[in-house]
Amino acid sequence: QKEVEQNSGPLSVPEGAIASLNCTYSDRGSQSFFWYRQYSGKSPELIMFIYSNGDKEDGRFTAQLNKASQYVSLLIRDSQPSDSATYLCATFTYQLIWGAGTKLIIKP
Amino acid sequence: ETGVTQSPTHLIKTRGQQVTLRCSSQSGHNTVSWYQQALGQGPQFIFQYYREEENGRGNFPPRFSGLQFPNYSSELNVNALELDDSALYLCASSPGLAGVVYEQYFGPGTRLTVT
């Protein structure tokens, strides 16, 4: 059974700090990795994808991938209250496998 | 806005009934995936259509079926509704089976309640 694991949280971070979200996966054949943000009652919104080991930066967001250790993380710099949401990690082999998400709360 | 639309937004059905949900994919996208998301959980893959053919299926019973049309819009049909089918149903489109990267863009979802 292919799995993606995330800490459900909530993860509480002060405004302006760095939020660090982590995800581990079981399928070593996973090729691509995705972070989605989901506000309550809304559909998931793609933030970033990564498929090579190392870091990928996009504005305040950095995705980090370590295939040997089978984890992928998302860093959010200068956290804003509007970043408060559930963050979903997904991996792709022949279909997307999703984690249950981490609830992030940014405290003003 | 992703350009993916779904209808209806909300739906209430009775156990045993049948339901059809609709999705229009983003322009230029030929692949549509359907997901079921229960409260507090990640999306669960139902199936995917690529150029009108089913191209993968998750662990859902045959009473979940679908179609994709020549314009790449899609339908999800659920027969013999059960209470556990109550969930947010998400449609996601993507620009085809292109190599490693496979980003999907979601519609707003249909909230189905079965009573």
Side-chain angles (χ1 to χ4, degrees):
Chain A
Q1 178 79 2
K2 300 180 178 66
E3 292 183 342
V4 175
E5 299 288 340
Q6 295 182 258
N7 188 319
S8 62
L11 173 66
S12 184
V13 174
E15 182 177 357
I18 296 175
S20 178
L21 303 159
N22 299 309
C23 169
T24 60
Y25 60 94
S26 63
D27 184 5
R28 287 193 172 275
S30 296
Q31 301 169 6
S32 310
F33 307 85
F34 301 85
W35 283 100
Y36 283 80
R37 176 175 63 198
Q38 187 172 27
Y39 294 111
S40 181
K42 302 295 185 181
S43 61
E45 172 192 7
L46 179 65
I47 298 176
M48 293 188 70
F49 60 85
I50 186 169
Y51 56 88
S52 298
N53 273 330
D55 295 0
K56 179 181 178 182
E57 187 175 316
D58 184 0
R60 296 187 297 114
F61 299 97
T62 299
Q64 299 175 319
L65 174 61
N66 184 322
K67 289 187 177 181
S69 299
Q70 293 178 247
Y71 81 79
V72 56
S73 61
L74 180 70
L75 302 178
I76 307 174
R77 290 181 298 281
D78 188 23
S79 297
Q80 302 296 311
S82 60
D83 294 327
S84 297
T86 295
Y87 288 79
L88 297 162
C89 170
T91 70
F92 175 71
T93 308
Y94 61 91
Q95 63 172 266
L96 279 178
I97 306 297
W98 296 79
T102 298
K103 184 173 183 178
L104 175 65
I105 298 172
I106 306 300
K107 291 189 170 181
Chain B
E1 294 292 328
T2 63
V4 182
T5 61
Q6 290 186 246
S7 62
T9 306
H10 296 89
L11 200 53
I12 299 174
K13 288 286 189 177
T14 302
R15 190 172 54 183
Q17 285 188 315
Q18 178 266 341
V19 68
T20 297
L21 310 181
R22 295 179 174 82
C23 170
S24 291
S25 59
Q26 186 171 329
S27 177
H29 287 186
N30 54 19
T31 302
V32 172
S33 302
W34 285 93
Y35 295 88
Q36 179 194 68
Q37 187 177 25
L39 204 60
Q41 306 211 2
Q44 298 294 312
F45 175 68
I46 303 175
F47 43 59
Q48 177 188 89
Y49 279 84
Y50 172 64
R51 294 187 174 181
E52 304 178 58
E53 298 283 333
E54 188 178 294
N55 187 48
R57 189 179 180 92
N59 190 26
F60 280 80
R63 59 190 185 84
F64 286 78
S65 63
L67 280 174
Q68 188 180 30
F69 300 99
N71 64 356
Y72 303 132
S73 65
S74 178
E75 286 183 355
L76 164 65
N77 299 290
V78 187
N79 294 322
L81 283 166
E82 301 177 359
L83 297 178
D84 285 349
D85 295 333
S86 295
L88 180 67
Y89 287 84
L90 296 163
C91 163
S93 76
S94 61
L97 304 177
V100 174
V101 180
Y102 189 72
E103 65 271 29
Q104 297 187 342
Y105 299 91
F106 285 86
T110 294
R111 174 71 63 186
L112 172 65
T113 302
V114 182
T115 62

